[in-house]
Amino acid sequence: MPNTLTTTDALAEFCARAAHVPYVTVDTEFLRERTYFAQLCLVQLALPGTDDTDAVLVDPLAEGLSLEPLYELFRNKNVVKVFHAARQDLEIFHVEGDLVPAPLFDTQVAAMVCGFGDQVGYETLVRRIAKASLDKSSRFTDWSRRPLSDAQKTYALADVTHLRQIYEYLSAELERTGRTHWLEEELAQLTNADNYVVEPDSAWRRLKLRSNSPRMLAIARELAAFRERYAQARNVPRNRVLKDDALVEIASTKPKNVADLGKSRLLLRDARKGAIAEGLIDAVAKGLAVPNSDLPKPAQGKDRSNLNPALADLLRVLLKAKAEAANVAPKLIASSSDLDDIASGHTDGVWSTGWRHEVFGADAVRLLNGEVALSAKGQKVCIVDV
């Protein structure tokens, strides 16, 4: 059975060994259905090689165990920390340890760069690279309950043992194809610590509002900020405080007191009284009191009044051809919206810098400027200088 570390000393001993290897694979199991912040329930770690004695489970719920030795390993610049689809794991470690592990290698992102498609799953990579299969029977178990079953432990450990082979394959493939810098560009955003800090005053930007009225936006901004602070302070999911549709309804109806608030059809029972109700009324009042000069402005899309539909169609053909040649999914390079922006004369966007510019952006601008044309040769689309 997998070795489970339940003491700080045992974890420190393992991390001391890990400090002398080129990489360590990492995964977590957590719960977040009942809390605002994810509850870390298990950490899986594996060192290079095929010996499963070099793979362990760390129980963060064990009494007296400190994760500081692990965080020290995460700060070690000489050891690559390998994750698959790391975003939620990084958020947890940023909240728990106030850090983002570095240097980082995300096999989902690397697989995208290596032509495995968009957001390829771990199970797919295990099957295609490690030539193995996963037992998924423990995927949806309660990881906070103790003791963990043998099946849970075996399932959890597989998330880091196969990851070793996947990492080594993808790392070599990036080196072979000269695309290591592609991965570095993609990971720069993922490892930005600012991504894992939720600012209550900016929470309203995630809402889908029915109106672009600046006054309604101001009220929605205050309501969303109150909800975020309340949820964070009590560590409860934001939708347990106030659901999005109820927030939008309140921003529209602008209740002035608890009696008015009670007329809402969408409010949860706990939001109709007490601290939540008072907070919502106060937030509405704050939104109504914002001076006209300080009202938030609706997000403005790019002007497409000059959109050339024929050029947009040509850009789609170009993108498809360039994506096939590079063996990456077209939507990873540019979205349909991006193409319409380009056809409207906007020459900035994700496609305009870095590897996306190498693969597609430079030729897109040349097409826009009439410097190249497209021709067909059999099943292949060719770029022809004009």
Side-chain angles (χ1 to χ4, degrees):
M1 275 295 100
N3 183 18
T4 303
L5 308 183
T6 58
T7 68
T8 306
D9 287 345
L11 176 60
E13 181 181 348
F14 181 86
C15 291
R17 291 169 53 208
H20 299 287
V21 299
Y23 71 86
V24 58
T25 56
V26 189
D27 191 40
T28 68
E29 304 297 343
F30 56 87
L31 296 177
R32 68 182 317 155
E33 290 81 5
R34 299 187 293 269
T35 57
Y36 181 94
F37 300 104
Q39 179 188 6
L40 182 60
C41 298
L42 197 67
V43 181
Q44 304 97 283
L45 304 167
L47 305 183
T50 58
D51 189 346
D52 284 351
T53 60
D54 285 333
V56 298
L57 306 177
V58 181
D59 187 355
L61 303 183
E63 185 176 355
L65 183 142
S66 168
L67 290 177
E68 185 53 38
L70 178 62
Y71 298 149
E72 187 63 30
L73 176 63
F74 284 169
R75 298 184 191 102
N76 187 332
K77 301 299 184 183
N78 297 318
V79 181
V80 177
K81 272 64 71 171
V82 181
F83 292 79
H84 180 82
R87 188 175 187 87
Q88 291 189 83
D89 301 312
L90 299 185
E91 179 185 354
I92 290 171
F93 290 127
H94 187 267
V95 171
E96 296 276 342
D98 192 26
L99 56 79
V100 176
L104 181 82
F105 189 102
D106 188 321
T107 56
Q108 185 176 71
V109 180
M112 171 198 80
V113 171
C114 290
F116 283 82
D118 181 26
Q119 295 186 328
V120 62
Y122 180 65
E123 184 182 1
T124 298
L125 295 182
V126 169
R127 185 175 65 253
R128 294 177 61 180
I129 296 175
K131 309 301 181 186
S133 60
L134 294 176
D135 177 4
K136 299 181 289 184
S137 60
S138 297
R139 176 171 293 180
F140 300 110
T141 58
D142 184 347
W143 293 99
S144 67
R145 298 187 65 178
R146 294 296 183 270
L148 295 173
S149 69
D150 290 345
Q152 283 178 301
K153 292 179 180 180
T154 300
Y155 167 86
L157 206 64
D159 284 343
V160 288
T161 52
H162 296 303
L163 195 55
R164 298 177 292 197
Q165 187 174 349
I166 293 169
Y167 164 70
E168 291 175 3
Y169 174 88
L170 292 174
S171 181
E173 188 67 8
L174 290 169
E175 188 70 26
R176 183 186 68 80
T177 58
R179 295 184 178 184
T180 300
H181 68 288
W182 291 23
L183 178 66
E184 291 170 350
E185 289 176 24
E186 297 301 296
L187 292 182
Q189 181 67 14
L190 189 62
T191 54
N192 183 349
D194 292 343
N195 292 329
Y196 308 106
V197 178
V198 179
E199 296 292 350
D201 290 334
S202 299
W204 68 280
R205 298 185 185 279
R206 296 193 303 266
L207 298 170
K208 295 181 179 178
L209 299 169
R210 294 191 292 262
S211 168
N212 283 329
S213 159
R215 181 61 61 187
M216 181 178 174
L217 294 180
I219 298 170
R221 179 178 65 186
E222 298 299 329
L223 288 167
F226 162 73
R227 177 177 69 171
E228 213 69 25
R229 293 190 180 97
Y230 187 97
Q232 288 178 354
R234 291 159 180 80
N235 196 23
V236 295
R238 61 175 66 90
N239 283 340
R240 294 273 184 92
V241 180
L242 182 69
K243 293 186 176 180
D244 283 359
D245 54 359
L247 189 155
V248 173
E249 181 187 38
I250 294 169
S252 299
T253 57
K254 308 177 186 63
K256 293 182 172 59
N257 50 53
V258 174
D260 288 343
L261 186 67
K263 298 174 184 177
S264 169
R265 298 174 297 107
L266 302 174
L267 269 185
L268 298 171
R269 182 176 60 186
D270 289 346
R272 297 176 181 274
K273 58 185 179 181
I276 296 180
E278 292 171 6
L280 296 177
I281 296 301
D282 183 58
V284 171
K286 286 181 178 178
L288 290 170
V290 173
N292 288 341
S293 58
D294 294 335
L295 290 173
K297 293 179 174 56
Q300 296 293 329
K302 293 180 179 177
D303 181 12
R304 293 181 181 168
S305 58
N306 294 325
L307 174 64
N308 182 333
L311 180 56
D313 288 340
L314 285 175
L315 286 166
R316 285 173 171 78
V317 174
L318 175 65
L319 175 61
K320 186 173 186 299
K322 299 294 284 186
E324 287 179 354
N327 191 28
V328 294
K331 65 180 179 179
L332 298 177
I333 301 172
S335 67
S336 180
S337 179
D338 290 329
L339 299 181
D340 287 340
D341 286 340
I342 301 171
S344 301
H346 300 290
T347 55
D348 60 339
V350 296
W351 55 272
S352 63
T353 61
W355 71 268
R356 290 176 174 84
H357 183 72
E358 293 177 32
V359 172
F360 168 72
D363 284 328
V365 172
R366 293 173 68 204
L367 185 65
L368 188 70
N369 293 335
E371 298 170 4
V372 296
L374 301 180
S375 69
K377 186 176 181 180
Q379 298 295 317
K380 187 178 180 181
V381 173
C382 303
I383 300 173
V384 181
D385 290 326
V386 175

